[in-house]
Amino acid sequence: MRPPRGRSLLALVALSLALFSLAAEKSYGPGVTDTEIKIGQTAPYSGPVSVYGTTGKAMSAYFAKLNDEGGINGRKVRLLSLDDAFSPPKTVEQTRKLVEQDNVLLIFGTIGTPGNSAIYKYLNAQRVPQLFIVSGNPKFGDPKNFPWTMPLHYSFDLEGAVYAKYLLTHSPGARIAVLYQHDDFGKSLLTAFRRALGEKAGAMIVAEATYELTDPTVDQQIISLQASGADTLVDFSTTKAAAQAIRKVYEIGWRPLHIITYPASSIATTLRSAGLERSVGLVTATFLKDLNDPRWASDPDVLGYRAWFKKYYPEGDILDQYNVQGYITAEAMAHVLKQCGDDLSRDNVMRRASSLDRVPLPMLFPGIELTTSASDYFPIKQLQLVRFDGSRWVPFGELRGQ
């Protein structure tokens, strides 16, 4: 029996309203369709710190895996990753292209303090999310003044304080020499380090030396720092200079307690370049599992990482921690996009990113999780001190931080 005409019309109207309601629930920012989410970044695939370019390649490889598995809520993630050569003017040029020509939803995982410094005011003025950038400069965790910018990194304030508090506890009479990169990276770490030493900073720090990123070597700086009589070297350098410093310290027979930054602590790049035998005893802080450490040999998350690496980034160095950082940074981005559901507006992306509640990621060191709020934009709040034994970073002590 055919239903009365009135009932058919009512059913049709109800179906139309339901479909309209479903469509109305969708909110798309630039670069988003029913099948795709387009995001952008710049990375140093050339230039003075091109070793960090592998982080961008790892991010792309992660999204390749994600897309093979169906994407996010049925949408593939398309990452446009452009070379900026670690040159701030190039970062600006490429970022403006991504925003104004390629119409990406957001900027993601841009590498380095100089480049991010060059673009964060522009992106905030444009109300474009600048998410999970690879820099811990404190100015990037300022939601009051720059609500569209958020690191994945811990704050350099935390790293500088961790080293200072370690020395105050275990070597309160240390005579400290500091080598630092003469830019926002090195200066922010030194400022945090001095602040955490407090009133003892003037007595404990006996010498300082700087270098420019373009300097061919730091040999003369190391020689002058040794002459100060320091028994502790705190090295706020990036990969190339850190490797040179480790090598020169060893060659001149200086044997200080040598602390290097996390960004310079990759075994695959810095320590191999310096010489593993010359690197024994180095101290740093980390938030990642070390694939060189046999304790993780049967860890399911590490096994998953190894399987992903073999399939999606076989040309990379599996022991390079910069690839691990790329992996977890992309994973954090995927988590936020998934939480957005069908509301992929720029406003909602930032709401979701600023409400992470103890999110675990597989390659984070045990006990470290991602937490953010509208007033706290640094997701990682703890670090683990580690010491190099010639083949791996060995954790010691408890997690340090907030």
Side-chain angles (χ1 to χ4, degrees), residues 54-332:
T54 192
T55 304
K57 294 177 182 179
M59 294 175 189
S60 295
Y62 178 88
F63 287 119
K65 169 183 175 292
L66 185 74
N67 290 338
D68 282 352
E69 295 171 347
I72 295 174
N73 300 324
R75 301 177 182 89
K76 302 294 179 70
V77 178
R78 183 181 172 197
L79 173 62
L80 305 181
S81 186
L82 307 181
D83 182 21
D84 66 6
F86 212 68
S87 167
K90 189 69 173 178
T91 308
V92 172
E93 175 190 342
Q94 297 287 49
T95 300
R96 291 182 70 97
K97 177 182 182 299
L98 289 166
V99 172
E100 298 172 17
Q101 297 179 33
D102 298 315
N103 295 311
V104 296
L105 173 63
L106 55 89
I107 297 297
F108 154 75
T110 299
I111 296 170
T113 297
N116 281 297
S117 295
I119 61 175
Y120 80 124
K121 292 180 180 178
Y122 161 74
L123 292 172
N124 276 265
Q126 298 295 317
R127 299 173 67 87
V128 177
Q130 183 186 12
L131 276 178
F132 301 146
I133 61 178
V134 184
S135 172
N137 192 291
K139 68 184 178 184
F140 297 135
D142 181 7
K144 181 179 179 180
N145 296 302
F146 300 99
W148 297 89
T149 297
M150 179 182 290
L152 182 75
H153 229 281
Y154 57 85
S155 170
F156 288 153
D157 281 351
L158 172 61
E159 185 175 11
V162 163
Y163 300 141
K165 291 175 182 178
Y166 168 66
L167 291 174
L168 286 171
T169 300
H170 296 279
S171 188
R175 292 173 54 80
I176 303 168
V178 180
L179 174 68
Y180 66 98
Q181 191 165 295
H182 194 232
D183 60 12
D184 277 355
F185 168 77
K187 291 176 183 178
S188 62
L189 281 163
L190 177 58
T191 298
F193 182 69
R194 279 186 166 276
R195 185 188 304 121
L197 287 178
E199 61 183 16
K200 293 189 174 182
M204 294 181 73
I205 299 176
V206 298
E208 296 178 5
T210 67
Y211 73 92
E212 302 295 335
L213 194 60
T214 54
D215 286 352
T217 76
V218 295
D219 287 358
Q220 290 306 310
Q221 289 92 326
I222 293 299
I223 291 170
S224 69
L225 291 175
Q226 182 201 27
S228 71
D231 56 24
T232 302
L233 174 61
V234 178
D235 189 351
F236 295 137
S237 302
T238 48
T239 298
K240 175 186 171 183
Q244 292 175 344
I246 294 165
R247 190 161 52 241
K248 192 62 178 179
V249 164
Y250 188 88
E251 288 174 355
I252 64 178
W254 189 20
R255 296 295 180 265
L257 167 62
H258 192 170
I259 295 173
I260 64 172
T261 65
Y262 160 79
S265 65
S266 173
I267 295 174
T269 53
T270 305
L271 305 196
R272 283 183 187 167
S273 178
L276 298 184
E277 73 285 354
R278 301 185 183 99
S279 304
V280 173
L282 290 171
V283 169
T284 192
T286 190
F287 56 96
L288 301 173
K289 294 174 181 174
D290 178 6
L291 269 73
N292 297 271
D293 192 334
R295 80 180 62 197
W296 310 121
S298 300
D299 182 89
D301 293 332
V302 171
L303 293 175
Y305 177 88
R306 289 182 175 275
W308 159 79
F309 201 94
K310 182 178 180 180
K311 181 174 181 180
Y312 289 96
Y313 191 22
E315 67 274 22
D317 187 335
I318 196 169
L319 298 181
D320 192 338
Q321 73 184 37
Y322 304 139
N323 294 322
V324 181
Q325 175 150 339
Y327 182 88
I328 66 163
T329 306
E331 191 169 40

Side-chain angles (χ1 to χ4, degrees), residues 22-62:
L22 183 62
E25 290 175 1
K26 294 183 178 181
S27 180
Y28 291 168
V32 181
T33 67
D34 284 345
T35 60
E36 183 179 79
I37 304 170
K38 184 165 56 175
I39 63 178
Q41 70 169 193
T42 64
Y45 296 119
S46 62
V49 292
S50 58
V51 292
Y52 294 134
T54 192
T55 304
K57 294 177 182 179
M59 294 175 189
S60 295
Y62 178 88

Side-chain angles (χ1 to χ4, degrees), residues 346-383:
R346 286 171 170 170
D347 284 328
N348 193 45
V349 167
M350 289 309 303
R351 279 194 295 270
R352 297 294 181 174
S354 59
S355 58
L356 301 176
D357 185 14
R358 300 183 64 182
V359 176
L361 297 179
M363 295 302 292
L364 289 175
F365 197 89
I368 297 178
E369 298 169 319
L370 307 184
T371 298
T372 57
S373 70
S375 60
D376 183 354
Y377 268 23
F378 279 105
I380 293 173
K381 298 172 171 59
Q382 295 174 302
L383 294 172

